[in-house]
Amino acid sequence: MLENRKWVIIGVFCLVGLTFLARLFYLQVLDDTYSLGASKNSIKRVVEVPYRGQIYDRNNELLVYNTPVYDLYVTPKQVRIPDTTAFCQMMAITRSDFDSIMGLAKNYSSLKPSLFMRQLSKEDFARIQDALVDYRGFEPVISAMRTYPAHTMANALGYVSEISRKKLDNQDIPYYRQGDYVGHNGLEEQYEEQLRGKRGVKFMMQNVRGVNKGSWKNGAFDTLALAGQNLITSIDVEVQRYADSLMVNKVGSVVALEPETGEILVSVSAPTYDPNLLSSRSFSKNYRALIKNPYKPLINRPIMASYRPGSTFKLIQALIAQQDGSLHPSMVYGHGGSPMRCHCHGGQNLRGAVQYSCNPYFYNVFRKFIYHNGETNTFKASAVGMRKWHDMVEKFGIGQRLGIDLPSELKGNLPTVDDYDKMYRGQYRWKFSNVYSLSIGEGELLISPIKLANLAATIANRGYYITPHYIKGFGKPGVGVPAEYRQRHETDIDRQYYLPVIEGMRGAVVHGTVTPLANIAGVELCGKTGTSQNAKRGHKFDHSIFIGFAPMNNPKIAVAVFVENAGWGGDAAASVAALVAERYLKRKTEATRLDQKVKAANYLPPVVPVKPKEPVPIRPRKDSSRKDSVLKPLMTGIKPKSVVVPGVSGN
């Protein structure tokens, strides 16, 4: 009995011993967990950030390139600073700045590196390089700063800055790290994935003090960083800079397209700023100054500003009415019976009405279009006509996003029957007399400059447009251009109906509503002027608008110009458009008199200083002994809601 128990005990001990031996064999021979853990202490993973792709104009002139700089990273757990005051003096920062940066770094992670100082120039880094050896926990990483040699197109290009915490947390696929740079706004954001390139990884050996000891396994596991793709844009930077010079001391925009391709040649948002201001260590200070600027230079007006199109909208009215059959080019309308005033003599046909921008003519055109549906009830006929009108106008890209390759494009407004039903609180409770201001581009219409440039391109093409876009290719023209920027969008207006409209547009420039100086020899500009009501009270003048294309029979450029607070469209806006078209077609400016006149003009509205709000006076109720007695502010200065009243559109 005892003999059997002895063998059982011996067997148990042997089994336990074999188990330990097997476990030791697994840990020592088969499992590499501890080996990898030890390697992590001696092998450092270094992420290599590639250079962003450069940006060029259509003629291969550089718009954006990279300047090498150094970013200084800090790992709080490893920091050893013998003399903090001396360190702050060396880095040219205050002690409070140092404490703030270190606090943010510790909150992010004590073990992971985070950005301490960015964009040190080669000279600044050379000054501190040797001294950094005495300060553990700080590591320089070579980076790049975006540089803009053309000093133009700030809003369309966008800028590159440190990624925000929100964007960092909302990544679908983890790619960015704390302190990484990312494109914001403009083309930098639109084509971020192509411009940023592909990261590389290097594995470096280091000793217990964190000193690099060379590549691990001769770089067998390293991956190379791939630079971002170079973006070729459709911009003509020579004409772009010239258009900038014409818009100095003005608020507005200039947009020019190549009608056949939809490529954007010029994109001016005025007033503008030097894009290099947002590509430096002074980013925050410069950005705050731009935000406080009363003329709002950070707004990309070609795609974000919305205006009433004024008389330029008469072109669409003429085209859809002809297609509908309610207008023939030979039809003549006088001024009788129209509630709208006009600066021209009556009795015009379609060509003359476009040439002289006759308001009563297009009032009658719109009225006949709306009621050209066989309905006898006035209210019902208005609704049926408006639905048809909306659907035909929409095909010109109005009231929707065109889909250009920039973020933040606004859709504007093209009123619908439902909108008016809500406005007048019921179906069939409004009629033509409530909406007739649409006939001359006023009322509830809101259109951005890019859409009016697209309208000019559509008329130049005699019936179609290609979505406006900045991209011309990656690496070389035509490579990587999305399919939607090659697709034709038809307006479903027959080609024959464009011809009298174009003849009227040419007449407007030769001897119509356009200033004679804008009829530049050799350009053969066709255009339409417009004056948009200024919604801001207190301004003396409305907004000046012009759209057009040139030459007449072989269009190479379509252009739209908005100059705020400049009055008649035939003067300020038309002059800018004519000069831009001439510079693009001739590659020089021969209309020097007009050039000098435009550059000398100043249409900047005066800046009204914002007064601090005064405290609202209060007074106690007379009977302060009552239980419900409280101090209540006086209700003073309450203004009624503002109402937009349709008015008269100029030429």
Side-chain angles (χ1 to χ4, degrees):
M1 186 74 175
L2 291 173
E3 188 70 20
N4 291 338
R5 188 175 298 172
K6 179 181 74 171
W7 288 110
V8 171
I9 294 172
I10 292 172
V12 170
F13 274 99
C14 289
L15 183 61
V16 171
L18 288 171
T19 302
F20 273 104
L21 287 173
R23 181 61 178 167
L24 285 171
F25 177 78
Y26 174 77
L27 293 175
Q28 295 285 339
V29 179
L30 301 179
D31 187 15
D32 60 353
T33 302
Y34 292 98
S35 174
L36 292 175
S39 297
K40 288 181 180 179
N41 295 326
S42 61
I43 300 173
K44 183 179 180 181
R45 184 175 180 269
V46 180
V47 176
E48 289 191 320
V49 179
Y51 281 114
R52 286 180 74 86
Q54 301 183 138
I55 303 178
Y56 295 84
D57 86 328
R58 67 190 300 110
N59 299 314
N60 211 36
E61 185 168 339
L62 203 56
L63 295 176
V64 187
Y65 69 90
N66 303 297
T67 299
V69 291
Y70 291 86
D71 293 334
L72 192 62
Y73 282 80
V74 61
T75 305
K77 188 73 173 179
Q78 300 175 5
V79 169
R80 298 291 184 272
I81 302 179
D83 187 343
T84 305
T85 302
F87 179 80
C88 291
Q89 290 176 349
M90 180 184 73
M91 301 302 298
I93 60 175
T94 64
R95 179 60 188 265
S96 61
D97 288 338
F98 172 82
D99 293 337
S100 176
I101 296 171
M102 289 300 297
L104 291 173
K106 289 176 182 178
N107 288 337
Y108 169 65
S109 174
S110 296
L111 301 175
K112 295 180 181 180
S114 61
L115 188 66
F116 181 83
M117 184 172 289
R118 65 180 180 180
Q119 295 181 344
L120 290 167
S121 66
K122 291 184 291 184
E123 294 76 17
D124 288 337
F125 179 69
R127 179 176 56 82
I128 67 172
Q129 185 176 12
D130 293 337
L132 277 179
V133 177
D134 299 328
Y135 300 97
R136 287 185 55 190
F138 293 91
E139 177 189 12
V141 175
I142 192 167
S143 181
M145 180 178 71
R146 298 297 254 180
T147 304
Y148 304 85
H151 304 279
T152 186
M153 244 178 77
N155 296 98
L157 290 172
Y159 58 91
V160 175
S161 66
E162 187 176 345
I163 189 170
S164 65
R165 168 59 67 179
K166 182 179 180 181
K167 195 165 187 177
L168 194 66
D169 294 339
N170 292 339
Q171 296 182 82
D172 294 329
I173 301 175
Y175 177 85
Y176 299 103
R177 305 168 302 162
Q178 179 77 17
D180 280 351
Y181 298 110
V182 64
H184 291 276
N185 298 333
L187 297 173
E188 293 278 17
E189 179 178 334
Q190 183 73 24
Y191 295 111
E192 165 69 15
E193 188 173 343
Q194 293 87 349
L195 289 170
R196 75 187 181 191
K198 187 176 181 181
R199 285 193 174 128
V201 178
K202 292 177 67 176
F203 295 94
M204 306 294 293
M205 294 187 298
Q206 61 182 9
N207 61 17
V208 293
R209 296 185 178 181
V211 179
N212 286 336
K213 293 297 182 180
S215 179
W216 182 58
K217 291 191 177 182
N218 295 319
F221 297 96
D222 294 353
T223 56
L224 294 175
L226 297 177
Q229 300 179 61
N230 292 333
L231 172 63
I232 300 174
T233 70
S234 57
I235 292 294
D236 188 322
V237 73
E238 179 193 341
V239 185
Q240 171 77 27
R241 282 192 292 241
Y242 178 65
D244 279 337
S245 71
L246 298 176
M247 292 298 288
V248 172
N249 293 324
K250 301 171 185 68
V251 178
S253 59
V254 181
V255 182
L257 309 175
E258 186 177 69
E260 186 179 5
T261 63
E263 293 176 354
I264 298 174
L265 303 170
V266 174
S267 179
V268 174
S269 180
T272 187
Y273 61 94
D274 188 343
N276 290 293
L277 290 174
L278 299 184
S279 182
S280 68
R281 290 169 59 186
S282 303
F283 171 87
S284 297
K285 181 181 73 174
N286 294 335
Y287 189 80
R288 285 195 297 270
L290 290 171
I291 286 179
K292 293 178 181 178
N293 189 312
Y295 298 116
K296 309 298 181 185
L298 289 174
I299 295 176
N300 190 8
R301 286 178 168 83
I303 64 169
M304 297 177 69
S306 291
Y307 304 90
R308 289 165 172 165
S311 292
T312 60
F313 194 75
K314 295 173 182 176
L315 301 175
I316 294 181
Q317 301 282 34
L319 292 168
I320 64 174
Q322 287 182 90
Q323 185 68 39
D324 177 61
S326 58
L327 173 66
H328 189 274
S330 61
M331 277 187 177
V332 176
Y333 287 114
H335 290 180
S338 170
M340 294 181 172
R341 293 170 297 174
C342 190
H343 47 76
C344 74
H345 54 82
Q348 302 289 343
N349 60 14
L350 177 57
R351 292 171 180 83
V354 172
Q355 177 178 337
Y356 296 108
S357 193
C358 181
N359 290 334
Y361 187 94
F362 287 97
Y363 166 85
N364 285 296
V365 167
F366 185 49
R367 185 175 184 276
K368 189 167 184 180
F369 179 95
I370 292 297
Y371 289 135
H372 189 245
N373 51 48
E375 291 288 343
T376 55
N377 182 285
T378 299
F379 295 95
K380 189 173 182 180
S382 297
V384 173
M386 275 297 297
R387 283 195 180 91
K388 180 176 59 175
W389 175 86
H390 178 277
D391 293 344
M392 295 184 76
V393 172
E394 194 175 37
K395 292 180 180 178
F396 286 84
I398 310 301
Q400 58 189 296
R401 292 180 180 88
L402 291 174
I404 71 169
D405 50 346
L406 281 187
S408 305
E409 181 193 0
L410 298 184
K411 62 184 294 186
N413 188 57
L414 178 63
T416 65
V417 170
D418 291 339
D419 292 335
Y420 289 116
D421 286 345
K422 291 178 183 178
M423 190 181 303
Y424 291 94
R425 300 180 181 179
Q427 191 178 23
Y428 305 141
R429 299 188 65 177
W430 54 273
K431 54 184 178 178
F432 175 78
S433 59
N434 301 115
V435 300
Y436 71 82
S437 60
L438 296 174
S439 64
I440 57 172
E442 296 293 343
E444 293 74 28
L445 277 169
L446 289 175
I447 298 179
S448 62
I450 188 71
K451 289 175 184 172
L452 281 187
N454 190 57
L455 171 60
T458 303
I459 297 174
N461 291 332
R462 277 69 168 171
Y464 74 90
Y465 70 88
I466 295 175
T467 302
H469 55 279
Y470 290 86
I471 183 174
K472 195 171 178 68
F474 284 106
K476 60 181 181 179
V479 176
V481 178
E484 59 263 31
Y485 299 136
R486 302 181 188 276
Q487 180 182 356
R488 284 173 50 145
H489 300 273
E490 302 289 344
T491 60
D492 295 336
I493 305 293
D494 294 344
R495 181 184 177 89
Q496 66 191 45
Y497 298 134
Y498 284 88
L499 303 183
V501 171
I502 292 171
E503 290 172 5
M505 293 173 70
R506 179 59 184 152
V509 177
V510 175
H511 42 72
T513 55
V514 176
T515 177
L517 288 175
N519 184 24
I520 302 173
V523 175
E524 203 178 5
L525 179 67
C526 301
K528 181 70 190 76
T529 57
T531 306
S532 176
Q533 282 188 332
N534 193 340
K536 295 181 180 179
R537 300 192 177 190
H539 290 297
K540 184 178 179 181
F541 297 107
D542 290 329
H543 303 319
S544 177
I545 310 173
F546 179 87
I547 70 170
F549 60 88
M552 179 177 180
N553 295 315
N554 186 24
K556 300 296 183 184
I557 182 173
V559 61
V561 177
F562 279 76
V563 184
E564 296 186 12
N565 313 299
W568 294 107
D571 189 10
S575 299
V576 172
L579 289 169
V580 169
E582 181 195 33
R583 176 59 69 95
Y584 179 71
L585 295 173
K586 296 182 178 181
R587 312 310 297 177
K588 60 182 178 180
T589 299
E590 295 177 345
T592 54
R593 183 180 167 193
L594 183 62
D595 174 85
Q596 293 169 2
K597 176 188 173 184
V598 170
K599 289 180 178 178
N602 186 336
Y603 298 113
L604 285 178
V607 176
V608 180
V610 179
K611 295 181 180 179
K613 292 183 178 180
E614 297 181 359
V616 179
I618 57 176
R619 64 185 180 190
R621 299 172 69 100
K622 290 183 178 180
D623 186 4
S624 58
S625 62
R626 291 181 57 181
K627 187 175 181 180
D628 60 347
S629 176
V630 292
L631 297 179
K632 294 185 178 181
L634 294 176
M635 301 295 290
T636 59
I638 299 177
K639 298 179 180 180
K641 293 182 179 179
S642 59
V643 179
V644 177
V645 181
V648 178
S649 172
N651 59 334

